[in-house]
Protein backbone atom coordinates (compact mmCIF):
# COMPACT_ATOMS: atom_id res chain seq x y z
CA UNK A 1 0.00 0.00 0.00
CA UNK A 2 1.49 3.40 -0.96
CA UNK A 3 2.42 5.86 1.77
CA UNK A 4 3.13 9.58 1.78
CA UNK A 5 5.36 11.51 4.16
CA UNK A 6 4.01 15.02 4.55
CA UNK A 7 4.43 18.12 6.67
CA UNK A 8 1.82 20.36 8.25
CA UNK A 9 3.17 23.78 9.19
CA UNK A 10 2.24 27.46 9.35
CA UNK A 11 -1.47 28.28 9.41
CA UNK A 12 -2.23 24.70 8.35
CA UNK A 13 -1.69 23.58 11.96
CA UNK A 14 -5.24 24.80 12.66
CA UNK A 15 -6.74 22.26 10.25
CA UNK A 16 -8.39 19.50 12.28
CA UNK A 17 -7.66 15.83 11.68
CA UNK A 18 -11.01 15.16 9.98
CA UNK A 19 -10.69 18.24 7.79
CA UNK A 20 -7.15 17.20 6.87
CA UNK A 21 -8.48 13.85 5.69
CA UNK A 22 -10.96 15.71 3.47
CA UNK A 23 -8.16 17.95 2.19
CA UNK A 24 -6.23 14.93 0.96
CA UNK A 25 -9.31 13.27 -0.53
CA UNK A 26 -10.03 16.41 -2.53
CA UNK A 27 -6.35 16.75 -3.46
CA UNK A 28 -6.28 13.25 -4.93
CA UNK A 29 -9.49 13.91 -6.83
CA UNK A 30 -8.28 17.23 -8.26
CA UNK A 31 -4.95 15.64 -9.19
CA UNK A 32 -6.71 12.97 -11.23
CA UNK A 33 -5.54 10.17 -8.94
CA UNK A 34 -8.20 7.49 -8.52
CA UNK A 35 -8.42 6.21 -4.94
CA UNK A 36 -10.16 2.98 -3.96
CA UNK A 37 -13.52 3.61 -2.26
CA UNK A 38 -15.50 1.41 0.08
CA UNK A 39 -18.74 -0.10 -1.14
CA UNK A 40 -22.21 0.74 0.08
CA UNK A 41 -24.59 3.67 0.34
CA UNK A 42 -21.88 6.18 1.39
CA UNK A 43 -18.56 5.21 -0.23
CA UNK A 44 -15.42 6.46 1.50
CA UNK A 45 -11.97 6.94 0.03
CA UNK A 46 -9.32 4.59 1.41
CA UNK A 47 -7.09 7.27 2.97
CA UNK A 48 -5.76 7.19 6.55
CA UNK A 49 -3.19 9.04 8.64
CA UNK A 50 -1.02 6.97 10.99
CA UNK A 51 -0.90 9.23 14.06
CA UNK A 52 -3.63 11.91 14.22
CA UNK A 53 -2.06 15.27 14.99
CA UNK A 54 -3.49 17.62 17.60
CA UNK A 55 -4.75 20.96 16.34
CA UNK A 56 -2.05 23.61 16.76
CA UNK A 57 0.87 21.19 16.54
CA UNK A 58 3.36 21.39 13.67
CA UNK A 59 4.88 18.31 12.09
CA UNK A 60 7.33 17.41 9.33
CA UNK A 61 6.89 13.64 9.67
CA UNK A 62 3.22 12.74 9.14
CA UNK A 63 2.45 9.47 7.36
CA UNK A 64 -0.60 8.94 5.16
CA UNK A 65 -1.68 5.62 3.66
CA UNK A 66 -3.85 5.34 0.56
CA UNK A 67 -4.92 2.70 -1.90
CA UNK A 68 -5.24 3.23 -5.64
CA UNK A 69 -8.39 2.10 -7.40
CA UNK A 70 -8.31 -1.25 -9.17
CA UNK A 71 -6.75 -0.91 -12.60
CA UNK A 72 -5.34 2.57 -11.95
CA UNK A 73 -1.58 3.13 -11.88
CA UNK A 74 0.75 6.11 -11.80
CA UNK A 75 4.45 6.57 -11.11
CA UNK A 76 5.09 7.54 -7.46
CA UNK A 77 7.00 10.68 -8.42
CA UNK A 78 4.07 11.81 -10.57
CA UNK A 79 1.64 11.23 -7.69
CA UNK A 80 3.84 13.34 -5.40
CA UNK A 81 4.05 16.17 -7.94
CA UNK A 82 0.34 16.23 -8.71
CA UNK A 83 -0.80 16.06 -5.10
CA UNK A 84 1.50 18.92 -4.06
CA UNK A 85 0.04 21.09 -6.82
CA UNK A 86 -3.43 20.79 -5.26
CA UNK A 87 -2.67 20.96 -1.51
CA UNK A 88 -3.18 24.20 0.49
CA UNK A 89 -0.30 26.24 1.87
CA UNK A 90 1.39 24.59 4.84
CA UNK A 91 0.60 21.02 3.75
CA UNK A 92 3.28 19.48 1.54
CA UNK A 93 4.25 15.93 0.61
CA UNK A 94 7.99 15.32 0.91
CA UNK A 95 8.30 11.60 0.05
CA UNK A 96 6.35 8.64 -1.29
CA UNK A 97 7.05 4.92 -1.11
CA UNK A 98 5.29 1.56 -1.36
CA UNK A 99 5.13 -1.60 0.74
CA UNK A 100 5.96 0.11 4.01
CA UNK A 101 6.46 -1.62 7.34
CA UNK A 102 3.54 -2.46 9.60
CA UNK A 103 2.32 0.61 11.46
CA UNK A 104 2.51 -1.24 14.79
CA UNK A 105 6.31 -1.02 14.43
CA UNK A 106 6.03 2.77 14.77
CA UNK A 107 6.63 3.18 18.51
CA UNK A 108 8.26 6.55 19.26
CA UNK A 109 8.51 10.08 18.00
CA UNK A 110 10.99 12.91 18.33
CA UNK A 111 9.60 16.37 18.95
CA UNK A 112 10.57 19.86 20.00
CA UNK A 113 8.51 21.56 22.70
CA UNK A 114 9.09 25.31 22.69
CA UNK A 115 8.52 27.00 26.05
CA UNK A 116 8.17 30.79 26.05
CA UNK A 117 8.52 32.92 29.18
CA UNK A 118 7.33 36.53 29.08
CA UNK A 119 9.68 37.54 31.91
CA UNK A 120 12.61 35.48 30.71
CA UNK A 121 13.66 31.86 31.19
CA UNK A 122 13.99 31.15 34.95
CA UNK A 123 17.55 30.67 36.19
CA UNK A 124 18.59 27.03 35.87
CA UNK A 125 15.26 26.05 34.27
CA UNK A 126 16.85 23.85 31.59
CA UNK A 127 18.64 21.60 34.06
CA UNK A 128 15.71 21.50 36.46
CA UNK A 129 13.16 20.61 33.77
CA UNK A 130 15.41 17.91 32.31
CA UNK A 131 15.82 16.35 35.76
CA UNK A 132 12.06 16.60 36.36
CA UNK A 133 11.20 14.56 33.27
CA UNK A 134 14.06 12.06 33.47
CA UNK A 135 14.33 11.58 37.23
CA UNK A 136 12.06 8.54 37.38
CA UNK A 137 9.46 9.96 39.76
CA UNK A 138 5.75 9.60 38.80
CA UNK A 139 4.32 12.55 36.87
CA UNK A 140 0.50 12.25 36.88
CA UNK A 141 -1.39 14.43 34.42
CA UNK A 142 -5.20 14.46 33.97
CA UNK A 143 -6.27 13.09 30.58
CA UNK A 144 -9.66 12.27 29.13
CA UNK A 145 -10.11 8.58 28.40
CA UNK A 146 -11.88 7.15 25.35
CA UNK A 147 -15.02 6.82 27.46
CA UNK A 148 -14.91 10.54 28.24
CA UNK A 149 -13.84 10.21 31.87
CA UNK A 150 -10.89 12.10 33.31
CA UNK A 151 -8.11 9.88 34.62
CA UNK A 152 -4.58 10.49 35.87
CA UNK A 153 -1.94 9.44 33.35
CA UNK A 154 1.64 8.91 34.57
CA UNK A 155 3.66 10.35 31.70
CA UNK A 156 7.08 9.70 33.24
CA UNK A 157 7.60 6.22 31.66
CA UNK A 158 6.60 7.64 28.26
CA UNK A 159 9.37 10.24 28.16
CA UNK A 160 12.43 8.41 26.89
CA UNK A 161 14.71 11.39 26.34
CA UNK A 162 14.64 15.06 27.28
CA UNK A 163 17.27 17.71 26.68
CA UNK A 164 16.83 21.47 27.10
CA UNK A 165 18.30 24.23 24.94
CA UNK A 166 17.87 27.94 25.61
CA UNK A 167 17.61 29.68 22.24
CA UNK A 168 17.09 33.24 23.50
CA UNK A 169 16.46 35.02 26.83
CA UNK A 170 12.74 34.15 26.72
CA UNK A 171 12.72 30.77 25.01
CA UNK A 172 13.62 27.25 26.09
CA UNK A 173 13.31 24.32 23.68
CA UNK A 174 12.89 20.78 24.98
CA UNK A 175 14.16 18.11 22.57
CA UNK A 176 12.17 15.03 23.57
CA UNK A 177 11.57 11.45 22.52
CA UNK A 178 8.22 10.07 23.64
CA UNK A 179 6.02 7.03 23.11
CA UNK A 180 3.92 7.25 19.96
CA UNK A 181 1.65 4.21 20.31
CA UNK A 182 0.43 1.83 22.99
CA UNK A 183 0.68 4.05 24.96
CA UNK A 184 0.91 7.41 23.20
CA UNK A 185 1.97 10.75 24.66
CA UNK A 186 1.13 14.16 23.27
CA UNK A 187 4.26 16.29 23.90
CA UNK A 188 2.01 19.19 24.91
CA UNK A 189 1.23 17.28 28.12
CA UNK A 190 4.79 18.04 29.25
CA UNK A 191 3.82 21.69 29.47
CA UNK A 192 0.72 20.75 31.45
CA UNK A 193 2.88 18.67 33.80
CA UNK A 194 5.05 21.69 34.55
CA UNK A 195 2.00 23.80 35.33
CA UNK A 196 0.71 21.16 37.74
CA UNK A 197 3.88 20.02 39.48
CA UNK A 198 6.49 22.74 38.93
CA UNK A 199 4.60 26.03 38.49
CA UNK A 200 7.76 28.09 38.91
CA UNK A 201 9.00 26.47 35.67
CA UNK A 202 5.69 26.66 33.78
CA UNK A 203 5.90 28.68 30.55
CA UNK A 204 3.48 31.42 29.55
CA UNK A 205 3.08 29.72 26.17
CA UNK A 206 4.20 26.45 24.62
CA UNK A 207 3.97 24.82 21.22
CA UNK A 208 5.05 21.45 19.83
CA UNK A 209 6.60 20.33 16.57
CA UNK A 210 6.96 16.68 15.54
CA UNK A 211 10.31 15.98 13.93
CA UNK A 212 10.42 12.26 13.18
CA UNK A 213 8.63 8.97 13.82
CA UNK A 214 10.74 6.03 14.94
CA UNK A 215 10.77 2.30 15.47
CA UNK A 216 11.74 0.49 18.68
CA UNK A 217 15.45 0.73 17.79
CA UNK A 218 15.28 4.48 17.25
CA UNK A 219 15.43 4.32 13.46
CA UNK A 220 13.24 6.51 11.26
CA UNK A 221 10.05 4.63 10.44
CA UNK A 222 9.59 4.32 6.69
Amino acid sequence: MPRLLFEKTGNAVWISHLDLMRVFQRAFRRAGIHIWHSQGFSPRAHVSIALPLSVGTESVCEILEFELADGFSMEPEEILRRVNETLPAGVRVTAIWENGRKLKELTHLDADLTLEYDRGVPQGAGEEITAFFTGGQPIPVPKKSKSGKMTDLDIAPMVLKCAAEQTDPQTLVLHVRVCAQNPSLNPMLLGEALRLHAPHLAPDFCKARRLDVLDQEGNSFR
Side-chain angles (χ1 to χ4, degrees):
M1 183 179 295
R3 286 177 180 163
L4 301 178
L5 184 73
F6 71 95
E7 59 185 35
K8 183 184 176 190
T9 60
N11 288 334
V13 302
W14 305 112
I15 301 175
S16 70
H17 174 67
L18 290 179
D19 285 339
L20 185 62
M21 297 285 287
R22 297 186 186 100
V23 164
F24 271 101
Q25 291 171 15
R26 289 195 294 267
F28 282 120
R29 186 166 58 250
R30 291 170 179 168
I33 300 167
H34 299 169
I35 301 298
W36 183 85
H37 284 67
S38 62
Q39 304 300 309
F41 181 77
S42 180
R44 296 187 179 184
H46 195 137
V47 174
S48 63
I49 296 174
L51 299 176
L53 191 64
S54 298
V55 173
T57 298
E58 281 196 338
S59 177
V60 295
C61 60
E62 297 304 287
I63 293 176
L64 178 139
E65 287 188 326
F66 63 99
E67 187 170 348
L68 296 175
D70 292 342
F72 181 84
S73 64
M74 184 179 289
E75 290 297 320
E77 294 76 13
E78 181 67 6
I79 292 176
L80 187 152
R81 184 187 69 79
R82 289 195 184 192
V83 171
N84 274 335
E85 287 178 349
T86 64
L87 288 171
V91 182
R92 186 175 69 92
V93 176
T94 57
I96 182 172
W97 68 95
E98 295 190 35
N99 300 321
R101 302 162 62 184
K102 294 181 179 179
L103 287 177
K104 66 180 182 180
E105 297 179 38
L106 192 169
T107 57
H108 302 103
L109 65 87
D110 284 343
D112 279 350
L113 187 67
T114 300
L115 311 179
E116 298 180 4
Y117 298 85
D118 293 343
R119 299 182 180 180
V121 177
Q123 184 71 27
E127 295 80 2
E128 194 171 347
I129 290 175
T130 299
F132 175 74
F133 286 117
T134 60
Q137 74 275 19
I139 307 175
V141 176
K143 183 181 179 181
K144 184 178 292 186
S145 66
K146 292 183 179 179
S147 63
K149 295 181 179 180
M150 296 301 296
T151 60
D152 278 343
L153 175 70
D154 182 10
I155 69 171
M158 293 181 273
V159 181
L160 284 76
K161 295 181 180 179
C162 179
E165 176 188 8
Q166 185 169 340
T167 56
D168 63 51
Q170 294 178 301
T171 307
L172 192 69
V173 178
L174 301 184
H175 307 294
V176 300
R177 178 169 295 177
V178 300
C179 291
Q181 293 192 102
N182 303 315
S184 63
L185 174 62
N186 183 342
M188 289 292 288
L189 285 181
L190 276 67
E192 181 65 17
L194 292 175
R195 279 187 281 272
L196 290 172
H197 304 291
H200 62 293
L201 300 172
D204 296 290
F205 177 77
C206 68
K207 60 182 179 181
R209 179 182 174 91
R210 287 182 181 176
L211 302 175
D212 201 4
V213 286
L214 313 165
D215 61 19
Q216 189 68 40
E217 288 71 42
N219 302 311
S220 293
F221 178 86
R222 299 291 183 271

